[in-house]
Amino acid sequence: MVQGHAGRPRRSPVRPLMLLALLVVMTVPVYLLVVNSFKSQEDILNSPFSLPLADLTVRHLMDAVRSPQYNVIQGYGFTLFLVVVVDILCIVMAGPAAYAIARSLKRRTQLVMLYFLAGTFIPGAALIIPVIYVLRSIGLANTVAGLIAHDVASTLPVSIFLFVGFIRTIPASIDQAAMIDGAGRLRTFWTIIFPLMRPAVVTVLILNSIGIWNDFVSPQILLSPGSGKYTVTTAIYAGISQYSTDLTKVFPNLLLAIAPVVVFFLYMQRHIISGLTVGAVKG
């Protein structure tokens, strides 16, 4: 390491340059999306990077909100419904499963954990076709219930993995004290262990919510257009696919799709970081 004038090590410029490059790569697409959502078609085509303050307008954004072809607001409601239902079912199922795995030393229990971990390495798109056949066989094809079942199953592996790591940082003596007081394992988990899992639960809820909100492949394939149900991503796709060359429709609708989840992520990012690292610094 190169020494400075005062004997202090001189910092390498590689890290600042890499951070700067990463900042540019991440901010330029966002800048283009935001700026071009308020510009005319001619301005977007001629100078997409320009910022003509005098010519900016919210008309195209308001048209996207009011247009019956896009149903963005309706897509917000249906997507939020999916997020809430999937999050609740995921927590109810992943919590007790993770507790049983974390508190057991049996080899077969660890094999179950490896089974769940294997699910994190399988691309979701690769499972769509098998999922369609399974849903058809049980009568849930092209239904909201089938989409919810798929989303819950896809969120369980990561949720269980994070829960197991956090529960193992909680002393088992707490469980033993509760059992001495007459509490069963299920009551011990929900009344004592689960409240202590708040950082991990918040992290799981945030990650699952963002994943479900941004998901396009699953609702697009598992819900046929005849169902009349559209998430934010599928509603915008259905609306702008026929107007793909009209950029005054493309940019505003894409902005409406990602704005809520970006704001949500920026507000909750500290909870994600604390939830992922708390297991590494406790105990």
Side-chain angles (χ1 to χ4, degrees):
M1 185 176 296
V2 181
Q3 296 292 324
H5 294 290
R8 292 175 297 181
R10 183 182 301 170
R11 294 183 179 180
S12 171
V14 175
R15 182 179 179 183
L17 290 176
M18 292 181 62
L19 292 176
L20 179 60
L22 182 62
L23 178 65
V24 172
V25 170
M26 296 182 65
T27 56
V28 168
V30 176
Y31 170 81
L32 288 174
L33 176 60
V34 174
V35 170
N36 291 321
S37 297
F38 301 93
K39 293 162 62 174
S40 65
Q41 177 85 355
E42 182 179 359
D43 289 337
I44 296 174
L45 293 175
N46 294 336
S47 53
F49 286 92
S50 66
L51 185 60
L53 297 178
D55 297 329
L56 296 181
T57 176
V58 297
R59 179 171 59 88
H60 303 302
L61 196 63
M62 297 306 298
D63 289 343
V65 173
R66 293 191 294 258
S67 175
Q69 298 171 317
Y70 303 105
N71 294 319
V72 176
I73 304 303
Q74 182 180 351
Y76 280 170
F78 180 62
T79 308
L80 186 61
F81 165 77
L82 284 179
V83 169
V84 172
V85 173
V86 172
D87 280 343
I88 293 175
L89 292 177
C90 178
I91 296 299
V92 170
M93 299 174 66
Y99 177 63
I101 294 173
R103 289 295 189 249
S104 177
L105 299 177
K106 297 180 181 179
R107 180 176 178 82
R108 61 174 177 267
T109 307
Q110 303 309 313
L111 292 177
V112 172
M113 181 62 188
L114 292 177
Y115 172 79
F116 282 114
L117 280 177
T120 63
F121 297 100
I122 303 176
L127 299 175
I128 291 297
I129 301 302
V131 166
I132 292 176
Y133 283 102
V134 171
L135 294 179
R136 284 179 180 174
S137 64
I138 60 178
L140 293 179
N142 295 326
T143 64
V144 176
L147 177 61
I148 291 175
H150 168 268
D151 287 344
V152 172
S154 63
T155 57
L156 282 177
V158 173
S159 302
I160 292 176
F161 173 73
L162 292 176
F163 284 168
V164 168
F166 188 88
I167 293 174
R168 284 176 175 170
T169 66
I170 301 175
S173 57
I174 296 179
D175 306 47
Q176 298 168 1
M179 292 179 183
I180 292 175
D181 290 339
R185 292 180 63 86
L186 198 59
R187 182 181 176 186
T188 299
F189 172 74
W190 288 116
T191 60
I192 299 177
I193 303 300
F194 185 74
L196 299 176
M197 295 169 53
R198 182 178 177 273
V201 171
V202 172
T203 300
V204 166
L205 291 178
I206 295 172
L207 295 178
N208 290 347
S209 299
I210 293 176
I212 296 169
W213 186 279
N214 291 332
D215 189 18
F216 170 75
V217 176
S218 300
Q220 177 69 12
I221 296 179
L222 299 182
L223 287 179
S224 64
S227 66
K229 300 293 184 181
Y230 294 94
T231 63
V232 172
T233 53
T234 58
I236 290 177
Y237 174 77
I240 69 176
S241 58
Q242 55 183 325
Y243 303 110
S244 58
T245 58
D246 188 351
L247 299 181
T248 62
K249 290 182 172 62
V250 174
F251 282 106
N253 281 277
L254 292 178
L255 179 62
L256 289 174
I258 71 168
V261 71
V262 170
V263 173
F264 177 72
F265 176 80
L266 292 177
Y267 179 74
M268 302 295 289
Q269 61 177 331
R270 62 186 181 90
H271 296 286
I272 299 178
I273 297 173
S274 63
L276 291 175
T277 59
V278 70
V281 299
K282 285 187 64 175

